């Protein structure tokens, strides 16, 4: 009788403010560990497959904005289940066809160990073709933001930059950002949690839950 095929352990998806699982893996820029990025912000993103149109467009857009991420003290790192050699061939093809050098490491994860640890891949899934996940990890290795996109929809690089800037600003200023906030715009004070604070805000001519502060 044939033994049942082995399945990966069921790992719950990461949640906000969880410690990002450490790993060491081969990448297009040599061996990398997540812990190598401690002290800096990191955008870790998975893509469904090499040589696909949406993923190619994302990598080109990210490469063209790499300096903007660097200015925020934020590194980039990508991952897919494809092999290291497939990654290298794909990045070389992007360089040759579009004249764009990809300046960040791309992790190979053919066993889906990393993808599974991050909840990117279902434990019983044979591949990761539907995965387009993004994790923003802070300098202490804590997951601060997570986004998931379907295979057919590419991510917005401008939104990733805005998100990192917003997280950094709210940490620094101990405030919140309103809808569509961009760097330099007003922030929101924390909502009043006592009657005295609420009345003081009203006396200043601001709503107790919409008080603005210049960033």
């Amino acid at each position: 009788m044939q033994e049942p095929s082995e399945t990966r352990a069921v790992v719950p998806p990461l949640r906000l403010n969880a410690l990002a699982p450490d790993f060491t893996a081969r990448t297009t820029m040599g061996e990398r560990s997540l812990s190598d990025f401690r002290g800096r912000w990191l955008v870790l993103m998975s893509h469904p497959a090499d040589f696909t149109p949406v993923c190619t467009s994302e990598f080109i857009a990210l490469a063209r904005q790499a300096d903007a991420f660097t200015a925020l003290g934020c590194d980039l790192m990508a991952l897919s289940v494809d092999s290291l050699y497939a990654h290298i061939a794909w990045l070389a093809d992007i360089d040759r066809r579009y004249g764009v050098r990809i300046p960040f490491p791309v992790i190979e994860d053919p066993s889906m160990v990393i993808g599974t640890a991050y909840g990117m891949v279902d434990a019983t899934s044979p591949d990761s073709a539907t995965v387009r996940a993004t994790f923003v990890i802070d300098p202490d290795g804590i997951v601060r933001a997570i986004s998931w996109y379907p295979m057919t929809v590419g991510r917005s690089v401008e939104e990733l930059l805005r998100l990192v800037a917003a997280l950094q600003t709210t940490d620094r200023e101990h405030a919140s950002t309103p809808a569509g906030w961009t760097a330099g715009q007003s922030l929101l004070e924390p909502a009043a949690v006592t009657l005295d604070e609420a009345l003081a805000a009203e006396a200043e001519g601001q709503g107790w839950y919409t008080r603005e502060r210049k960033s």
Side-chain angles (χ1 to χ4, degrees), residues 13 15 18 27 30 32 35 76 78 89-90 97-98 104 106 109 118 121-122 128 150 159 163 172 174 207 211 213:
R15 298 187 181 277
T27 83
R32 291 286 190 277
S35 54
L76 300 170
W90 179 40
R97 289 176 180 270
Y98 303 101
F104 50 85
V106 184
D109 189 26
Y118 278 76
V121 185
D122 182 79
S128 63
E159 172 58 17
L163 176 58
R172 183 176 65 250
H174 303 289
R211 294 179 296 164
R213 182 201 303 178

Side-chain angles (χ1 to χ4, degrees), residues 173-205:
E173 301 294 337
H174 303 289
S176 301
T177 61
W181 177 90
T182 57
Q185 293 183 337
S186 296
L187 303 169
L188 297 176
E189 294 279 9
V193 294
T194 67
L195 178 60
D196 286 344
E197 290 178 357
L199 293 175
E202 292 289 350
E204 294 171 0

Side-chain angles (χ1 to χ4, degrees), residues 43-49 55 58-59 77-81 109 115 120-121 128 130-135 147-149 155:
V43 172
L44 172 64
M45 57 210 141
S46 63
H47 61 280
C55 298
E58 286 184 332
F59 272 48
M77 188 158 60
L79 172 150
S80 88
V81 300
D109 189 26
M120 301 173 182
V121 185
S128 63
T130 61
V131 172
R132 196 182 298 281
T134 305
F135 298 85
S147 69
W148 300 80
Y149 283 75
R155 287 164 282 212

Side-chain angles (χ1 to χ4, degrees), residues 1 23 38 72:
M1 184 170 127
F23 59 81
R38 287 292 178 91
L72 291 172

